[in-house]
Amino acid sequence: MTRDDAVDGSSPEDGRGGGADSGQSGEGPTDRTVDLSVPDMDCASCASKVERAVSGVPGVTGVDPRPTTGDLTVATDGTVDRKSVVSAVEGAGYEVADGLESVTLSVPEMDCASCAGKVSGALERVEGVRDLDAYPTSGTVRLRFDPDATTLAAVVSAVEGVGYEVVGTSLDGGDGGVDGSGGDSVWRSRRAYATYLAAALTAVGLVLANPLAPAGAGPAVDLFGRVVRVGDLAYLGAVAVGGVAVFRDGYYSLRQRSLDIDLLMSVAILGAVAAGIGFDEPLYFEAATLTTLFSLSELLEAAAMDRARDSLRELMELSPSEATVLRDGEEVVVPADAVEVGETVVVRPGERIPRDGTVTDGTSAVNQAPVTGESVPVDKAPGDEVFAGTIVEGGYLEVEVTTEAGEDTLSRVVDMVEAAQGERSEREQFVERFAGYYTPVVVGFALVVALGPPLAVGAAWDTYVLYGLTLLVLACPCAFVISTPVTVVSGITAAARNGVLIKGGTHLEAMGDVDAVAFDKTGTLTKGELTVTDVIPLGDNSEADVLRCARGLELRSEHPIGDAIVEHAEAEGVDDRAVDDFEAVAGKGVSATLDGTPHYAGKPGLFADLGFDLSHVHAATDGGVVTRTSRAICERNNCLDLLSDTVPELQAEGKTVVLVGTEDDLEGVIAVADEVRPEARRTVERLREAGVRTAMLTGDNERTARAVGREVGVDEVRAELLPDEKVAAVEELLDEHDGVAMVGDGVNDAPALATATVGIAMGAAGTDTALETADVALLADDLSTLPYLRTLAERANAVIRQNVWTSLAAKAALAAAVPFGLVPIWFAVLAGDAGMTVGVTANASRLARVSPDDPGADGTDAAGTAGRDAEAKAEAASDGEGEPPSTPPAQSAQ
């Protein structure tokens, strides 16, 4: 039975789907575990296949595949050898990367595409290095290496051998993550001070040897038999001081055979100096200007990238570094990573919870916004789950830790956000392919411009060599290469701070193009939990009387409907009744003796079999006066026609009907339903206003599905669907639309989620399966973040287009204007390189300002919730199909 089956319009019976004994887990003692790396196991289907294969090995007691990391942990009873497990994995078609170690390097100076290319090139030549990914947007490198073929020291040495310092790794005590330095450190670095000195020397040169002054003007000295202007010496000093880092990086680029900005700028600067020394062409000013402005542009780029990294750094800093643990009855402060599973941590007001766990003592409101994006603190009491990084607002909590260090929800979110940078979108791949052609073409054009006119028509060498050097400056595609990844990182981290986990740039871009959204019903549009919605007392009974009897009857039932009735009755504070002789009436309901009198609870057919006339039942009165509900429904004022009116009307609203009574008297009617989420209707409305078509795909029965569909306002309802039929429905939507998002619970809807353009899992915080299988996970159980997600994705796509085409157009325009003498070399550096890089980064950072509170970005707007109920009722009243009655068919339990 599916989750949807539990909330359909059929009547209850004990053992009704889920009453079977769960039995024992059958797991024997776990004496050892086998850890394997399976890099090709990178999807939910792969993980399932591997899990089935390994589970069949005798002696295996548990299998934990993690497709997001490619890791496999196998628990055994001690009788299984590693070889048997490896054989099972390989038998399923997956290669085991046996013995490889994973490491993350923190390389904060690697802050551009060309830097990442040099680092990757160096590491690729290290024997034993596998699965290499360099992320300039976070300044990290992730790789795996064979410890029998190389060492961590050799890996670090390879990176530092191309000029980039490794400040920490995940294997030597550091986290290997985003560098913790702030943007201000860029301006106090050694390169910054060298740039300041180069700028000062360039200024001195401008005073003593201004390029606008007549040739030879200014003080001069005799140097090795040659008259040299003092201002030119100042220019050369600027090149010597500020060019050290430029020439060093250019040297490493040459060794890597990388035609990047460092090599191009080195050639341009040295070319200008050589023209002055060897050919007596006065290009010292240009060389000094190139050196100073390029060094400045590198500092600006580093500072801009550091700002882009801030959002991810903020995520990483949410988890506290220390925790207060109860050990032997005393509080001990220890590193948060040193807390063991099962230990109890103490969290006081204002402190952050160090690890995921369960509250064992105390109550407090907890601000979960850092993890789930919920704006309102959530009350927590013993038994409730809490997440690492969330803040205790005003109480004292003792929390039993339930996750290992690095395995809590916040850590998984950070890991996945970092890993998402490795997902190269189609636009990013296009830009990288284009850049491979752009640079050689512009370099070739620079050579033609520099050599062609002087050789062909005797034009001035200094003029056209300068034009050629200017084109070399414009030949680097850094600005538009980085335009897509920096936007993706900004969008993904902004979403993560608001409780939406996007698994890569591909999914962010795809979400922006979605024009149809399909929803599962149970647990997505509805809460996924049965609740009592209506209680109708009959005869001389009150609501409390009906609930008292129903609670006694359902107390021993294991069915979700019975649980909902018991929970509601206890919330209403009804008295207990003595219960004896509980029995399930097969296919119809339950019976028990309450205070010595036999009672029944079940579907209408059960009471029809007992001889009741369900078409003529007396309604409850108040002081002899028939209630308004009864008068509206029953033409005879003090009677209800349960069979023809009340029960069908309740079921038409998607509710399950339970009758309660004795052998002689029908005491009342209880309606139970899976309530629609309060934000569902507004979410659907906002999507429709954005031009998105909505559909509901459910395995529930047609009647219940139609009722929920009308209430939330979806455009299309498809009911009684098996998993493969949901997949077919998504495929049909894909045939009609450019992009389709499927929103479900991440488990039962996995095939449909995988088929859709974007699969979105609801309520994924703390749920491994949802985090690993979905393309996007809504960490809070809140549909209202869905319109925000689409708005963010749309704006991200717009920013990417702006960044790519603006930077490309600017470079093309500048390059075309160079041969006409319209672009001085200093302007090419500032506008074409530094300016565009800073511009695209600043443009991308605007995504951080997109908020779920913005009109149009979430399921709410400035009008608030005040008129929504009236609006919903007005639409329901005007609905042609299944039009609800003008007066409610039952008295609400609320």
Side-chain angles (χ1 to χ4, degrees):
M1 173 176 285
T2 65
R3 290 171 60 187
D4 286 325
D5 292 329
V7 294
D8 64 18
S10 62
S11 300
E13 54 184 285
D14 212 50
R16 303 157 278 192
D21 186 1
S22 61
Q24 301 298 318
S25 66
E27 287 193 11
T30 302
D31 295 332
R32 52 171 289 189
T33 60
V34 177
D35 295 314
L36 301 176
S37 176
V38 189
D40 292 334
M41 183 185 66
D42 54 10
C43 66
S45 175
C46 306
S48 177
K49 195 183 301 182
V50 170
E51 184 174 7
R52 285 196 302 270
V54 176
S55 297
V57 177
V60 169
T61 59
V63 182
D64 180 19
R66 298 180 181 176
T68 53
T69 60
D71 296 327
L72 177 70
T73 300
V74 181
T76 77
D77 61 6
T79 64
V80 183
D81 60 12
R82 184 184 186 87
K83 185 177 180 181
S84 300
V85 178
V86 171
S87 297
V89 174
E90 293 177 343
Y94 296 89
E95 181 181 354
V96 176
D98 204 11
L100 295 184
E101 287 194 44
S102 298
V103 63
T104 300
L105 312 178
S106 179
V107 191
E109 294 176 355
M110 184 189 67
D111 54 13
C112 66
S114 64
C115 306
K118 270 189 285 192
V119 170
S120 297
L123 289 172
E124 285 169 356
R125 289 196 294 274
V126 178
E127 185 179 358
V129 169
R130 304 284 187 275
D131 304 325
L132 166 66
D133 286 302
Y135 306 123
T137 45
S138 64
T140 58
V141 179
R142 288 188 175 189
L143 58 88
R144 298 191 307 152
F145 67 93
D146 183 352
D148 294 331
T150 189
T151 63
L152 177 61
V155 170
V156 171
S157 177
V159 176
E160 295 183 337
V162 291
Y164 297 92
E165 182 185 3
V166 177
V167 300
T169 79
S170 57
L171 296 182
D172 62 6
D175 60 9
V178 178
D179 179 46
S181 61
D184 290 342
S185 64
V186 171
W187 305 106
R188 296 194 301 271
S189 63
R190 181 182 301 175
R191 184 164 192 174
Y193 291 124
T195 302
Y196 303 152
L197 180 55
L201 289 171
T202 302
V204 170
L206 278 172
V207 173
L208 300 179
N210 193 305
L212 299 179
V221 296
D222 187 282
L223 192 64
F224 304 113
R226 182 173 180 173
V227 176
V228 181
R229 292 188 299 176
V230 176
D232 289 340
L233 291 177
Y235 289 142
L236 289 172
V239 171
V241 173
V244 172
V246 180
F247 299 142
R248 181 200 63 195
D249 293 340
Y251 165 73
Y252 289 129
S253 297
L254 184 61
R255 285 180 54 185
Q256 297 286 318
R257 298 186 179 90
S258 175
L259 193 62
D260 58 16
I261 187 63
D262 296 316
L263 180 57
L264 293 172
M265 291 301 301
S266 297
V267 170
I269 295 169
L270 291 176
V273 172
I277 295 177
F279 302 98
D280 201 25
E281 298 292 346
L283 298 181
Y284 300 120
F285 164 73
E286 285 76 8
T289 304
L290 269 178
T291 303
T292 303
L293 293 181
F294 179 66
S295 295
L296 177 62
S297 75
E298 290 291 279
L299 295 175
L300 288 170
E301 184 176 301
M305 186 59 69
D306 203 64
R307 286 197 301 272
R309 294 173 181 172
D310 280 345
S311 53
L312 183 55
R313 189 180 295 123
E314 289 169 5
L315 279 178
M316 299 178 67
E317 291 174 351
L318 289 175
S319 186
S321 59
E322 294 182 334
T324 303
V325 188
L326 287 178
R327 290 178 177 171
D328 300 325
E330 295 185 357
E331 295 184 4
V332 182
V333 178
V334 300
D337 290 345
V339 181
E340 301 290 337
V341 172
E343 287 194 298
T344 298
V345 296
V346 173
V347 192
R348 293 184 169 82
E351 295 180 347
R352 292 184 183 272
I353 296 172
R355 297 261 282 284
D356 287 3
T358 303
V359 177
T360 58
D361 190 22
T363 59
S364 174
V366 174
N367 181 357
Q368 298 191 152
V371 175
T372 66
E374 295 167 280
S375 59
V376 178
V378 180
D379 291 331
K380 299 291 183 178
D384 290 338
E385 184 182 22
V386 291
F387 304 121
T390 56
I391 306 166
V392 174
E393 292 284 316
Y396 166 94
L397 292 181
E398 292 184 6
V399 178
E400 181 181 343
V401 173
T402 58
T403 58
E404 298 283 355
E407 294 296 325
D408 54 70
T409 300
L410 181 61
S411 297
R412 294 204 309 273
V413 169
V414 171
D415 288 344
M416 290 180 179
V417 168
E418 288 187 301
Q421 301 170 69
E423 288 281 338
R424 285 178 167 80
S425 66
E426 291 184 9
R427 288 189 179 94
E428 188 172 354
Q429 293 175 39
F430 162 75
V431 168
E432 289 177 352
R433 288 195 301 268
F434 180 82
Y437 295 101
Y438 170 84
T439 298
V441 167
V442 177
V443 169
F445 183 44
L447 290 174
V448 171
V449 169
L451 303 177
L455 292 176
V457 297
W461 278 99
D462 60 338
T463 299
Y464 283 92
V465 167
L466 180 59
Y467 291 167
L469 297 178
T470 304
L471 285 170
L472 286 182
V473 172
L474 297 172
C476 181
C478 279
F480 59 87
V481 166
I482 206 169
S483 60
T484 298
V486 76
T487 304
V488 166
V489 169
S490 181
I492 288 175
T493 51
R497 287 199 304 273
N498 287 293
V500 179
L501 175 62
I502 304 172
K503 305 286 278 297
T506 300
H507 309 309
L508 177 66
E509 289 187 17
M511 190 65 208
D513 296 328
V514 161
D515 57 357
V517 176
F519 295 91
D520 176 42
K521 181 182 74 69
T522 305
T524 302
L525 290 173
T526 65
K527 295 180 179 179
E529 299 176 356
L530 293 173
T531 57
V532 172
T533 59
D534 304 87
V535 177
I536 309 172
L538 303 174
D540 295 328
N541 296 286
S542 65
E543 284 189 15
D545 294 332
V546 176
L547 289 173
R548 188 178 301 112
C549 290
R551 179 184 182 278
L553 286 162
E554 298 285 4
L555 194 58
R556 299 181 185 180
S557 170
E558 296 180 356
H559 193 273
I561 293 175
D563 293 340
I565 291 173
V566 171
E567 182 178 350
H568 182 77
E570 290 178 346
E572 293 295 315
V574 301
D575 299 332
D576 293 335
R577 297 191 66 171
V579 183
D580 297 300
D581 303 325
F582 174 84
E583 182 181 355
V585 182
K588 296 181 179 180
V590 297
S591 67
T593 300
L594 305 180
D595 296 330
T597 303
H599 279 71
Y600 300 86
K603 61 184 180 180
L606 172 62
F607 287 86
D609 292 344
L610 292 174
F612 283 91
D613 178 8
L614 299 181
S615 65
H616 187 83
V617 180
H618 286 269
T621 62
D622 182 7
V625 179
V626 178
T627 63
R628 182 184 305 175
T629 300
S630 302
R631 185 182 301 277
I633 296 175
C634 181
E635 294 178 356
R636 289 167 285 186
N637 289 340
N638 63 340
C639 300
L640 296 177
D641 187 343
L642 297 182
L643 200 58
S644 300
D645 295 332
T646 307
V647 171
E649 287 165 356
L650 288 169
Q651 290 179 339
E653 296 176 7
K655 299 173 181 177
T656 297
V657 177
V658 179
L659 304 187
V660 181
T662 67
E663 294 177 341
D664 302 317
D665 295 308
L666 193 57
E667 298 177 348
V669 179
I670 297 177
V672 178
D674 180 10
E675 285 190 310
V676 171
R677 294 177 182 273
E679 74 275 11
R681 182 177 185 84
R682 188 58 182 162
T683 296
V684 170
E685 286 177 353
R686 299 301 296 181
L687 290 172
R688 184 186 291 115
E689 290 168 3
V692 178
R693 181 174 177 80
T694 56
M696 184 176 74
L697 311 179
T698 179
D700 209 344
N701 66 78
E702 187 81 21
R703 181 181 57 217
T704 302
R706 292 289 174 192
V708 173
R710 283 195 302 273
E711 186 170 349
V712 300
V714 293
D715 298 313
E716 180 182 0
V717 174
R718 300 192 188 189
E720 301 178 1
L721 300 178
L722 296 174
D724 60 326
E725 292 172 327
K726 283 189 178 182
V727 170
V730 171
E731 289 174 342
E732 289 180 25
L733 290 171
L734 284 169
D735 291 338
E736 301 169 3
H737 300 275
D738 294 332
V740 176
M742 174 68 193
V743 189
D745 61 12
V747 181
N748 296 334
D749 302 305
L753 290 173
T755 303
T757 310
V758 181
I760 303 174
M762 281 287 295
T767 306
D768 290 338
T769 303
L771 282 173
E772 291 174 354
T773 58
D775 301 323
V776 177
L778 308 183
L779 299 181
D781 215 18
D782 185 3
L783 269 180
S784 68
T785 53
L786 191 58
Y788 157 74
L789 167 62
R790 190 174 183 280
T791 298
L792 178 73
E794 272 192 318
R795 296 187 186 179
N797 283 350
V799 168
I800 289 172
R801 288 191 292 269
Q802 292 165 9
N803 282 349
V804 170
W805 296 114
T806 300
S807 57
L808 183 57
K811 290 260 189 181
L814 290 171
V818 166
F820 301 99
L822 301 177
V823 182
I825 197 166
W826 61 266
F827 186 78
V829 175
L830 281 184
D833 185 65
M836 289 310 306
T837 299
V838 172
V840 298
T841 305
N843 194 30
S845 67
R846 293 191 301 117
L847 293 177
R849 297 199 293 269
V850 179
S851 167
D853 298 326
D854 294 340
D858 69 350
T860 62
D861 61 11
T865 60
R868 289 187 199 160
D869 290 342
E871 183 179 309
K873 291 176 183 177
E875 182 168 329
S878 62
D879 195 329
E881 180 181 348
E883 181 176 339
S886 57
T887 306
Q891 185 175 354
S892 172
Q894 306 302 319

